[in-house]
Amino acid sequence: MVHPVKNSSIENSLNLFHHMYRIRTVEEEISRRYSEGKMRCPVHLSTGQEAIPSTFALTITKDDFTVSTHRGHAHYLAKGGDLNAMIAEIYGKSTGCSKGKGGSMHLIDRNVNFMGTSAIVGNSIPVGVGLALSSKLKGTDQISCIFLGDGAIEEGVFYESVNFAVVRKLPVLFICENNLYSVYSNLSVRQPIGRSIAKMVEAMGIDMSFGNDNDILANQQLMKKAINNVRSGNGPHFLEFSTYRWREHCGHNFDNNIGYRSQDEFLEWQAKDPLMLLEKSLTKDGSDTTTKLSSIKEQIDSEVAAAFEFAETSPFPNQIEAYEGVYAAIEGVPK
Amino acid sequence: MVHPVKNSSIENSLNLFHHMYRIRTVEEEISRRYSEGKMRCPVHLSTGQEAIPSTFALTITKDDFTVSTHRGHAHYLAKGGDLNAMIAEIYGKSTGCSKGKGGSMHLIDRNVNFMGTSAIVGNSIPVGVGLALSSKLKGTDQISCIFLGDGAIEEGVFYESVNFAVVRKLPVLFICENNLYSVYSNLSVRQPIGRSIAKMVEAMGIDMSFGNDNDILANQQLMKKAINNVRSGNGPHFLEFSTYRWREHCGHNFDNNIGYRSQDEFLEWQAKDPLMLLEKSLTKDGSDTTTKLSSIKEQIDSEVAAAFEFAETSPFPNQIEAYEGVYAAIEGVPK
Amino acid sequence: MSQMTYAEAINVALHEAMQLDSSVICYGLGVTDPKAVFGTTINLEKKFGPERVFDMPTSENAMTGVAIGAALNGIKSVMTHQRIDFFLLAMDQLVNGAAKWHYMFGSQNSVPITIRLIIGRGWGQGPTHSQNLQAWFSHIPGLKVVMPTTPEDAKGMLLSSIFDPNPVIFLEHRWLHSSIGEVPDGDIRVPLGKAKIVKSGKDITLVAMSYMSIEAIHAADYLEKQGISCEVIDLRTIKPLDWETLMESVSKTGHLLALDSGFSTGSVAGEIIARVSMEKFNALKLAPARLAMPDVPEPTSPALTKGFYVRAADVAEKVMDMLGKDTGQVRKDLTEPRPHDIPGKWFTGPF
Amino acid sequence: MSQMTYAEAINVALHEAMQLDSSVICYGLGVTDPKAVFGTTINLEKKFGPERVFDMPTSENAMTGVAIGAALNGIKSVMTHQRIDFFLLAMDQLVNGAAKWHYMFGSQNSVPITIRLIIGRGWGQGPTHSQNLQAWFSHIPGLKVVMPTTPEDAKGMLLSSIFDPNPVIFLEHRWLHSSIGEVPDGDIRVPLGKAKIVKSGKDITLVAMSYMSIEAIHAADYLEKQGISCEVIDLRTIKPLDWETLMESVSKTGHLLALDSGFSTGSVAGEIIARVSMEKFNALKLAPARLAMPDVPEPTSPALTKGFYVRAADVAEKVMDMLGKDTGQVRKDLTEPRPHDIPGKWFTGPF
Ligand SMILES: Cc1ncc(C[n+]2csc(CCOP(=O)(O)OP(=O)(O)O)c2C)c(N)n1
Ligand SMILES: Cc1ncc(C[n+]2csc(CCOP(=O)(O)OP(=O)(O)O)c2C)c(N)n1
Ligand SMILES: [Mg+2]
Ligand SMILES: [Mg+2]
């Protein structure tokens, strides 16, 4: 195996930085504007959790399928989903990726095979497995990636989905972002203390890997290996990453003051902020890199600003559309 | 630890024989009479699977809770359930343990804390966990035993139930009778080939043991240890036993001819028939034991005959009762 | 055109659909086993292979989600459950997922799945193997609900369901599987959403679905001899329901009796009474009526199910009562068959 | 007697019940967290300890079965879900288990569990966080279904539900949690199954439940000024439903408008129309009517929910239209509040 040369390693880090910074900027901009009351739907932000989707972005291909959860902005963006359409969706505009029907919790971009997110915990997991079944039936090499949280692990449907994926050796990649919390509930009141999720899932008959602490370069290797593995026809794989969300479960505030977790815990994780650490390490690489970082930021800042501008200036859907689209039309038969 | 002396070991074997022979005789008598068309409900017989409930019968106490499945006759009897009331229930009589409302798939005997069986795969599992929660809340040392099949392992609710039992360290004993089939489906089309159920469950954070091949004396030790363990407050335990049902999934016939399993497989298991093997080994112990065996058989034969007589001569419930008992009456308020 | 049973008609439709379109797959507990879901899936695996026809783990909820996911990439799944009651485990995937997917993602995807659920009654099936929950499904926007009565409709509507771009709940009554009828060959499509007037008449409209249509026809035949002319409507589709045909009939007869195989309160029959009362109030000559199952779980003992089901005699009696005729003779003429808990003598249990 | 919000009334009822009976326990996602399920479970854990008050894994189906099992040994569980939609995962345990247990085991056990489910509308909750599925529950024999409107009823009916020996579905509309009212102190029990005539009148019967009763009252107040006297019935319990009070009212007014917060087709309002049409046909002076949610999943965008809900204006317009009055002024008098998607200005989301 050829070791990556220094340059390509910098380039890789810049690419990771790009994705992380982009996700962070989008989430923080939502957060900044949320209290204006124009985004009238629940939002679940991923600030602090950007490392995993960013490694995903660099390895996954456009044709692969992906589904996600209520906390899906980052995954949508990482898969290459249209930023404008996402922000417009959160604003409830007709240009939204779901035409205003779905909001922040129902994101889709068919152009990049980002197939949907669900507001029901665990609900999109078997859907992802079904997409993998469809690749197998159609004989393509598309894999299907399923993002889920540590809370979703508790739903029976997760376990049923893993079992079926193993039985039929489907090309599924489960990506569990374990951020220690489900809403305000710590893992310890929901799952046995000290039990490893990844090891448990391994015992279901599946390959797994575990990535710690938002360590982005290590996690990137795990992500690459896992994706290659699944694509090679070795059956499903389960990835667990330990991570942390900075802001409140739903909404735009910080909430370390309300008592369900400690400020210390938060600060500990903030010190491991993958974005900040990567930026630090990159700026050590000389002024050329620093310049590149600035230009990435600049470019993203204006891209994000433009997306909000797009959303704000887009028209609302017409009231009548609320009543349309309940049923898909039979081909050749007018609705 | 004192090793059991020879005599008590014979006595133990005779006791096991008693329970096995009793379950066998009941099931075979149902089978013999089923085509008469007087037992008008589905029956799922346990012929071939008697070893496990028999070891259970000798260790469990009356106050402990038990729930079971569609294949629940043996568990009901092992727990000390009233034989007459069970047969009457299968005949749809008013003297039935559920007054004719439930049939073979809904057995209950409150006198021995046999709390119910369900016709829905997996359905009684969390109910058993809830009973364990109630013992803990009430501070009693009653444990809760949950019989389930290998098919029920596939239901998400099984996994959710195990998780909750571990999180709250509840006194639950899961007893999985793995008979290789769910209806006509072999394990291999439902679960990963070569994956151990017990080991998978262990990874969920639970103690487990595995008993092979209907080996009754070995299994008895596992059963005892497991029950003691759970009663000592060590949290839930999972027991898996490998076993085999002789007759068709539902109904009274043999069905090795229809093609979902082989006659060879059946014969292999029949050669390991725990009842026959135990009887053989006991008859080697001299004529005294042989006499005791005969008298056990005689006593049970007539007990079973009497139970069918009881069921056949019991009155049917009154038509009007169909409309009663949908709601429990509020105390002090007439219905 | 050939004579076949309802179960055979379903089998033929599945063969036809899988032959026509390689994106059709078929799975469910028992689909590949020797009993082949009451014979309805015979030879499918042999013909189309284990990739497209397969058994599944006892995981009703996940397997519904699998159908949704596959549908998003153009696979048309036919999933089968031997009892509707087992499918209660999958309500999240059905209602939060399948039913709303097309709508909530702005009409970019459709979810062409067909879920065959077997409903029934009798023979000691008891409280959790005998439910008729069509009212639940018809309450949910985004679902279609189909309940064919005849072998021909079973075939033609199953084909239409499979090729419909929406999730369709296809309900088969266990007592119909052995009924025999003429079934056209080939790719016949009976459109969803169109009721059938199986008997036209002028005095009263009897509206029913699935097995209840059979009881309605028996009653109408009897009533005809008593000089009462019934118009019998077999709904065939519960959602979307063919209100036009129904309203027209009631406008003509001025009388309505709605039958249902589900619990009375909140039944589809109730919705029918409501809609007719709201929209055709002036056409109604007297109060509409409903006959459905009592609001009671089905008991197991045959002694308790005596007189428990809505039978032709109940229908005939109700109609005569509504029209002011003497009902004294009805139960003597139309006695409850013996045994009352099986569809025919051929049925020996356990299912 | 003290003034408190609906949410506080629920909290007080839980405290009262747990104090009265040590076999009452309380659990659900978020029950012990800082937000305390919109404030309804505040201080319960502190007062009654973590054995009796606890958070749970996201395992809705198993946790329902746990309540059943505990109930079989005399524990009275109050389980809470922050959205009714999540509870779709538990239909097997509810319908195949809890609802039928008492019946199918020959009445030897009862299952005294109370399941608090929050329903709602508005504020971008969207298709899977806004359903009102009371019709489903009321279709199932063995369940009781409660939908209180006022703080007093919330307290009194929650206490009655907890001490009822049957499984009770207790539905709280999110838009009611902050409404304020007088609530008697102590162990007050409002009996299940009794409707309340909140306004007596002679021209038309308006029947509603939960938040829809509020819209009905607003409409009735407006209509009174237009010279129309409405009798407003707040059902409070959906099952068993108080048919007596309802039928008496319709007999008096001869007119019926039934409101519902659920999808129209198959709604509880539909069942009401059906029963009244069947039983009080001759008392009805004209066709009864229904106003419920359209048969459409709820969209998320505020632009799409404009005019989407049944509001007092719709009710008033419908009543005037039924009674042949000119409706031209209604929408000018009763404009849709702004913003239309929140219960009041105090509401800033996200929930
Ligand atoms: C079936 C279901 N139960 C409960 C909820 C409420 N809920 C919304 S998000 C969430 C947390 C899930 O935690 P996790 O899977 O760890 O994801 P995270 O929010 O941490 O990203 C919960 C419980 C829901 N949406 N669906
Ligand atoms: C939820 C549900 N799905 C399917 C069925 C149909 N069914 C009845 S028994 C059975 C087999 C279950 O197998 P297992 O748990 O191994 O028990 P066994 O019959 O082997 O004792 C099945 C699938 C059911 N009753 N409930
Ligand atoms: Mg989490
Ligand atoms: Mg088995």
Side-chain angles (χ1 to χ4, degrees):
Chain A
M1 192 191 148
V2 186
H3 280 277
V5 296
K6 182 84 208 209
N7 262 357
S8 86
S9 137
I10 290 182
E11 202 175 310
N12 174 59
S13 291
L14 285 169
N15 284 335
L16 285 171
F17 180 83
H18 175 99
H19 284 287
M20 284 207 288
Y21 184 79
R22 189 161 176 262
I23 294 168
R24 173 77 52 96
T25 307
V26 169
E27 298 291 64
E28 292 298 290
E29 189 62 16
I30 292 172
S31 169
R32 207 177 62 75
R33 300 193 190 214
Y34 197 63
S35 58
E36 291 170 3
K38 294 195 236 166
M39 292 176 262
R40 297 181 84 76
C41 63
V43 292
H44 301 79
L45 305 179
S46 290
T47 308
Q49 303 192 178
E50 301 88 350
I52 300 136
S54 300
T55 66
F56 179 75
L58 293 190
T59 319
I60 205 66
T61 73
K62 198 182 113 199
D63 286 346
D64 293 317
F65 296 114
T66 299
V67 295
S68 173
T69 68
H70 57 287
R71 198 178 306 287
H73 300 175
H75 312 135
Y76 171 97
L77 294 173
K79 189 66 176 61
D82 182 330
L83 173 61
N84 285 357
M86 178 178 106
I87 304 296
E89 185 62 32
I90 301 174
Y91 274 82
K93 296 301 179 76
S94 67
T95 51
C97 60
S98 297
K99 299 185 188 149
K101 296 269 175 71
S104 158
M105 300 195 288
H106 296 101
L107 303 177
I108 183 170
D109 190 337
R110 294 232 48 169
N111 290 327
V112 296
N113 279 349
F114 188 83
M115 304 302 284
T117 60
S118 171
I120 302 289
V121 170
N123 179 283
S124 57
I125 300 173
V127 174
V129 173
L131 283 158
L133 179 71
S134 77
S135 318
K136 208 173 174 196
L137 284 165
K138 297 195 165 183
T140 72
D141 76 341
Q142 292 157 290
I143 74 166
S144 177
C145 303
I146 301 169
F147 283 95
L148 66 156
D150 50 293
I153 297 289
E154 293 145 26
E155 291 289 0
V157 76
F158 162 69
Y159 161 85
E160 294 179 354
S161 300
V162 169
N163 183 58
F164 182 70
V166 183
V167 167
R168 294 195 75 91
K169 241 188 154 193
L170 300 179
V172 184
L173 179 60
F174 298 91
I175 307 172
C176 176
E177 295 176 314
N178 182 347
N179 63 6
L180 300 174
Y181 291 90
S182 167
V183 192
Y184 307 115
S185 309
N186 188 273
L187 253 185
S188 63
V189 301
R190 302 177 283 115
Q191 296 181 32
I193 292 169
R195 187 198 64 188
S196 154
I197 290 176
K199 282 197 186 138
M200 172 184 74
V201 179
E202 187 177 32
M204 294 174 190
I206 194 171
D207 288 338
M208 66 88 174
S209 16
F210 176 79
N212 227 327
D213 277 358
N214 281 338
D215 177 344
I216 192 160
L217 294 174
N219 290 349
Q220 188 178 23
Q221 293 313 311
L222 297 181
M223 180 69 74
K224 273 190 189 167
K225 266 200 203 153
I227 288 177
N228 287 339
N229 236 314
V230 173
R231 201 181 309 283
S232 318
N234 296 331
H237 191 100
F238 184 84
L239 274 172
E240 179 187 352
F241 293 110
S242 161
T243 186
Y244 203 74
R245 99 175 121 71
W246 289 12
R247 295 187 176 272
E248 61 188 337
H249 162 70
C250 179
H252 66 298
N253 291 311
F254 289 103
D255 69 350
N256 303 319
N257 58 316
I258 68 172
Y260 73 100
R261 63 184 192 182
S262 68
Q263 180 73 2
D264 282 357
E265 183 182 272
F266 173 79
L267 292 175
E268 217 173 274
W269 278 93
Q270 213 176 28
K272 295 188 279 195
D273 176 10
L275 181 62
M276 182 250 321
L277 293 177
L278 192 66
E279 180 166 7
K280 252 194 198 153
S281 94
L282 277 167
T283 47
K284 283 197 209 115
D285 283 315
S287 65
D288 182 39
T289 315
T290 308
T291 317
K292 280 189 185 154
L293 281 175
S294 303
S295 93
I296 290 174
K297 287 187 186 177
E298 222 168 275
Q299 182 249 311
I300 288 174
D301 290 348
S302 68
E303 184 197 2
V304 172
F308 279 83
E309 178 65 18
F310 173 81
E312 298 240 12
T313 57
S314 285
F316 277 112
N318 193 307
Q319 249 175 268
I320 196 76
E321 290 172 40
Y323 308 90
E324 295 169 357
V326 178
Y327 292 92
I330 300 170
E331 263 168 64
V333 179
K335 263 195 259 204
Chain B
M1 189 190 150
V2 186
H3 279 275
V5 296
K6 182 82 207 215
N7 260 358
S8 85
S9 138
I10 291 182
E11 201 175 312
N12 175 57
S13 291
L14 284 169
N15 284 336
L16 285 171
F17 180 83
H18 174 97
H19 284 288
M20 285 209 286
Y21 184 81
R22 187 160 176 263
I23 294 168
R24 173 76 53 95
T25 306
V26 168
E27 297 292 63
E28 292 298 292
E29 189 62 17
I30 292 172
S31 169
R32 206 176 63 76
R33 300 193 189 212
Y34 196 64
S35 58
E36 290 169 4
K38 295 196 236 166
M39 290 176 262
R40 297 181 84 76
C41 64
V43 292
H44 302 80
L45 305 179
S46 291
T47 309
Q49 302 192 180
E50 302 87 350
I52 300 137
S54 300
T55 66
F56 178 75
L58 294 190
T59 318
I60 204 67
T61 72
K62 198 181 114 199
D63 286 345
D64 292 319
F65 297 112
T66 298
V67 296
S68 173
T69 69
H70 58 285
R71 199 176 306 287
H73 300 175
H75 311 137
Y76 171 97
L77 294 173
K79 189 65 174 63
D82 181 330
L83 173 61
N84 285 358
M86 177 177 106
I87 304 297
E89 185 62 32
I90 301 174
Y91 273 81
K93 297 302 179 77
S94 68
T95 50
C97 61
S98 297
K99 300 187 187 146
K101 296 269 175 71
S104 158
M105 298 195 288
H106 296 100
L107 303 178
I108 185 172
D109 190 337
R110 292 232 49 168
N111 290 328
V112 297
N113 279 349
F114 188 83
M115 304 302 284
T117 61
S118 170
I120 302 290
V121 171
N123 178 283
S124 56
I125 300 174
V127 175
V129 173
L131 282 159
L133 179 70
S134 76
S135 317
K136 208 174 173 194
L137 284 164
K138 295 194 165 182
T140 72
D141 77 340
Q142 291 157 291
I143 74 167
S144 177
C145 303
I146 301 169
F147 282 95
L148 67 156
D150 50 292
I153 297 290
E154 293 147 24
E155 291 289 0
V157 76
F158 162 68
Y159 162 85
E160 294 180 353
S161 301
V162 169
N163 183 59
F164 182 69
V166 182
V167 167
R168 292 196 76 91
K169 242 190 152 191
L170 300 179
V172 184
L173 179 60
F174 298 92
I175 306 170
C176 175
E177 295 176 315
N178 181 347
N179 63 8
L180 300 175
Y181 291 91
S182 168
V183 191
Y184 307 114
S185 307
N186 189 274
L187 253 185
S188 63
V189 301
R190 303 178 281 116
Q191 297 180 33
I193 291 169
R195 186 198 64 189
S196 155
I197 291 176
K199 282 197 186 138
M200 172 184 73
V201 179
E202 188 178 30
M204 294 173 191
I206 193 171
D207 289 337
M208 68 88 175
S209 18
F210 176 77
N212 227 328
D213 277 0
N214 282 339
D215 177 342
I216 192 161
L217 294 174
N219 290 349
Q220 188 178 23
Q221 293 313 311
L222 297 180
M223 181 68 74
K224 272 189 190 166
K225 264 199 202 154
I227 289 177
N228 287 339
N229 236 313
V230 173
R231 201 182 309 283
S232 319
N234 296 330
H237 191 101
F238 184 83
L239 275 170
E240 179 188 353
F241 293 110
S242 161
T243 185
Y244 201 74
R245 99 176 120 70
W246 288 12
R247 294 186 177 273
E248 60 188 339
H249 163 68
C250 178
H252 66 297
N253 289 311
F254 290 103
D255 69 350
N256 303 318
N257 57 318
I258 67 172
Y260 73 100
R261 62 184 193 182
S262 70
Q263 181 72 5
D264 282 358
E265 183 182 273
F266 173 80
L267 291 175
E268 218 173 89
W269 277 94
Q270 212 175 31
K272 293 188 281 197
D273 176 11
L275 181 63
M276 182 248 324
L277 292 177
L278 192 66
E279 179 165 9
K280 252 195 197 153
S281 94
L282 276 168
T283 47
K284 281 195 208 116
D285 283 315
S287 63
D288 182 38
T289 316
T290 310
T291 317
K292 279 186 184 153
L293 281 176
S294 305
S295 92
I296 289 173
K297 287 186 187 178
E298 221 169 278
Q299 182 250 310
I300 289 174
D301 291 347
S302 67
E303 183 196 3
V304 172
F308 279 83
E309 179 65 17
F310 173 80
E312 297 241 12
T313 56
S314 285
F316 276 112
N318 194 308
Q319 250 175 268
I320 196 75
E321 290 172 39
Y323 307 90
E324 295 169 356
V326 178
Y327 291 93
I330 300 171
E331 263 169 67
V333 179
K335 266 196 257 203
Chain C
M1 203 73 146
S2 11
Q3 269 224 339
M4 63 180 77
T5 66
Y6 190 97
E8 283 162 351
I10 285 175
N11 185 247
V12 166
L14 289 170
H15 276 273
E16 188 75 32
M18 296 193 77
Q19 189 69 51
L20 278 170
D21 183 345
S22 65
S23 70
V24 176
I25 68 172
C26 182
Y27 65 88
L29 285 179
V31 156
T32 61
D33 79 22
K35 299 285 175 84
V37 192
F38 312 118
T40 58
T41 58
I42 282 175
N43 281 334
L44 285 176
E45 186 190 16
K46 206 165 135 193
K47 184 121 179 251
F48 301 102
E51 290 291 315
R52 291 178 61 199
V53 182
F54 52 89
D55 206 334
M56 66 173 217
T58 321
S59 304
E60 288 80 2
N61 197 30
M63 294 311 298
T64 306
V66 165
I68 298 171
L72 299 181
N73 192 26
I75 301 295
K76 303 181 184 76
S77 295
V78 184
M79 182 172 37
T80 302
H81 297 282
Q82 310 227 11
R83 287 284 178 285
I84 196 177
D85 316 72
F86 310 158
F87 191 59
L88 285 177
L89 284 155
M91 288 304 106
D92 174 54
Q93 287 297 322
L94 181 76
V95 175
N96 285 328
K100 299 182 174 53
W101 206 281
H102 180 72
Y103 183 85
M104 73 189 169
F105 290 105
S107 307
Q108 296 173 72
N109 285 104
S110 66
V111 180
I113 64 183
T114 302
I115 299 168
R116 294 178 50 208
L117 301 175
I118 293 165
I119 55 176
R121 72 186 196 188
W123 210 85
Q125 296 301 310
T128 62
H129 275 54
S130 63
Q131 291 169 89
N132 284 249
L133 295 172
Q134 53 269 23
W136 270 30
F137 301 121
S138 67
H139 187 50
I140 303 299
L143 297 179
K144 295 192 176 181
V145 188
V146 175
M147 297 182 78
T149 308
T150 66
E152 173 173 357
D153 285 344
K155 179 180 175 187
M157 299 185 84
L158 183 52
L159 279 161
S160 293
S161 299
I162 293 170
F163 295 112
D164 192 286
N166 297 285
V168 179
I169 302 292
F170 188 90
L171 297 167
E172 303 164 25
H173 199 289
R174 184 71 189 96
W175 285 33
L176 291 174
H177 275 137
S178 296
S179 65
I180 292 175
E182 290 289 328
V183 177
D185 301 325
D187 178 20
I188 54 153
R189 309 275 177 108
V190 175
L192 307 188
K194 291 262 163 274
K196 187 161 67 181
I197 299 177
V198 283
K199 191 172 184 314
S200 65
K202 57 180 184 37
D203 296 331
I204 185 167
T205 300
L206 299 185
V207 53
M209 75 288 272
S210 186
Y211 185 72
M212 291 313 297
S213 296
I214 304 290
E215 301 285 359
I217 293 165
H218 286 323
D221 288 345
Y222 173 78
L223 288 165
E224 184 146 59
K225 291 180 212 133
Q226 318 306 314
I228 298 172
S229 159
C230 302
E231 180 140 307
V232 181
I233 298 181
D234 178 11
L235 285 172
R236 305 199 292 184
T237 308
I238 296 305
K239 185 141 189 184
L241 201 144
D242 183 355
W243 294 111
E244 206 181 313
T245 299
L246 182 64
M247 296 297 174
E248 227 170 75
S249 176
V250 175
S251 298
K252 180 173 72 174
T253 65
H255 294 101
L256 172 67
L257 174 60
L259 309 181
D260 203 317
S261 59
F263 304 123
S264 292
T265 297
S267 56
V268 173
E271 177 67 18
I272 288 171
I273 303 278
R275 285 283 280 263
V276 170
S277 301
M278 291 188 290
E279 294 174 23
K280 289 285 162 203
F281 189 74
N282 294 325
L284 283 171
K285 292 181 193 145
L286 46 84
R290 160 172 80 184
L291 284 173
M293 290 288 282
D295 287 319
V296 168
E298 180 162 331
T300 302
S301 169
L304 294 172
T305 56
K306 276 216 181 95
F308 193 74
Y309 309 114
V310 177
R311 287 275 189 182
D314 303 295
V315 178
E317 196 176 62
K318 186 81 189 176
V319 168
M320 294 177 80
D321 191 50
M322 285 171 80
L323 301 181
K325 313 267 166 167
D326 177 34
T327 60
Q329 196 57 30
V330 178
R331 295 196 178 266
K332 285 170 207 143
D333 294 340
L334 294 174
T335 51
E336 190 170 59
R338 278 178 206 211
H340 70 283
D341 59 349
I342 55 172
K345 296 279 185 216
W346 55 269
F347 190 98
T348 57
F351 266 163
Chain D
M1 205 72 146
S2 11
Q3 268 224 341
M4 63 179 78
T5 67
Y6 189 97
E8 284 162 349
I10 285 176
N11 186 246
V12 166
L14 290 170
H15 275 274
E16 186 76 32
M18 295 193 77
Q19 187 69 51
L20 276 171
D21 183 345
S22 65
S23 70
V24 176
I25 68 172
C26 182
Y27 65 89
L29 285 177
V31 155
T32 60
D33 80 21
K35 298 285 175 84
V37 191
F38 312 117
T40 59
T41 57
I42 282 176
N43 280 335
L44 286 175
E45 187 190 14
K46 205 165 135 192
K47 181 120 179 250
F48 301 104
E51 290 291 316
R52 291 177 62 197
V53 183
F54 52 89
D55 207 333
M56 67 174 214
T58 321
S59 303
E60 288 80 1
N61 198 29
M63 293 313 297
T64 306
V66 165
I68 298 172
L72 300 180
N73 192 27
I75 300 295
K76 303 180 185 77
S77 294
V78 183
M79 183 169 38
T80 302
H81 297 282
Q82 309 226 8
R83 287 286 177 282
I84 195 176
D85 316 72
F86 310 158
F87 192 57
L88 285 176
L89 285 156
M91 288 304 107
D92 174 55
Q93 287 297 323
L94 182 76
V95 174
N96 285 328
K100 299 183 175 54
W101 206 281
H102 180 71
Y103 182 85
M104 74 189 169
F105 289 106
S107 306
Q108 295 172 71
N109 285 105
S110 66
V111 179
I113 64 185
T114 302
I115 300 169
R116 293 178 50 207
L117 301 175
I118 293 164
I119 55 177
R121 74 186 194 188
W123 211 84
Q125 296 301 310
T128 63
H129 275 53
S130 64
Q131 291 169 90
N132 285 249
L133 296 171
Q134 54 269 23
W136 269 32
F137 301 121
S138 68
H139 187 50
I140 303 300
L143 297 180
K144 297 192 175 180
V145 188
V146 175
M147 296 181 79
T149 307
T150 65
E152 172 172 357
D153 284 343
K155 178 179 176 187
M157 300 185 85
L158 183 51
L159 279 162
S160 293
S161 299
I162 293 170
F163 294 112
D164 192 285
N166 298 285
V168 179
I169 302 292
F170 188 91
L171 299 167
E172 302 163 26
H173 198 290
R174 185 73 189 93
W175 285 32
L176 292 173
H177 275 137
S178 297
S179 65
I180 292 174
E182 290 288 329
V183 177
D185 300 325
D187 178 18
I188 55 153
R189 310 276 176 105
V190 175
L192 308 187
K194 291 261 162 276
K196 186 161 67 182
I197 299 177
V198 282
K199 188 172 183 318
S200 66
K202 58 180 185 32
D203 296 332
I204 186 168
T205 301
L206 299 185
V207 53
M209 74 287 274
S210 187
Y211 184 72
M212 291 312 298
S213 296
I214 304 290
E215 300 286 357
I217 293 165
H218 285 324
D221 287 346
Y222 172 78
L223 288 165
E224 185 145 57
K225 292 181 213 133
Q226 317 306 314
I228 298 172
S229 157
C230 301
E231 178 139 309
V232 181
I233 297 180
D234 178 11
L235 285 172
R236 306 197 291 185
T237 308
I238 296 304
K239 187 144 188 181
L241 201 145
D242 184 355
W243 294 110
E244 207 181 313
T245 298
L246 181 63
M247 297 297 173
E248 226 169 78
S249 176
V250 175
S251 299
K252 181 173 71 176
T253 65
H255 295 100
L256 172 68
L257 173 59
L259 309 182
D260 203 317
S261 59
F263 303 124
S264 292
T265 296
S267 56
V268 172
E271 176 67 17
I272 288 171
I273 303 278
R275 285 281 281 263
V276 169
S277 300
M278 290 189 290
E279 294 174 24
K280 289 285 162 204
F281 189 74
N282 294 325
L284 284 170
K285 292 179 191 145
L286 46 83
R290 159 172 80 183
L291 283 174
M293 289 288 282
D295 287 319
V296 167
E298 180 162 329
T300 301
S301 170
L304 294 171
T305 54
K306 275 215 181 95
F308 193 75
Y309 310 113
V310 176
R311 286 275 188 183
D314 303 294
V315 177
E317 194 176 64
K318 185 81 189 176
V319 168
M320 293 177 80
D321 191 49
M322 285 172 80
L323 300 181
K325 314 267 166 167
D326 178 34
T327 60
Q329 196 56 30
V330 176
R331 293 193 180 268
K332 287 170 208 146
D333 294 340
L334 295 173
T335 52
E336 192 171 56
R338 271 175 211 214
H340 70 283
D341 59 348
I342 53 171
K345 295 282 185 215
W346 54 270
F347 190 97
T348 57
F351 267 163

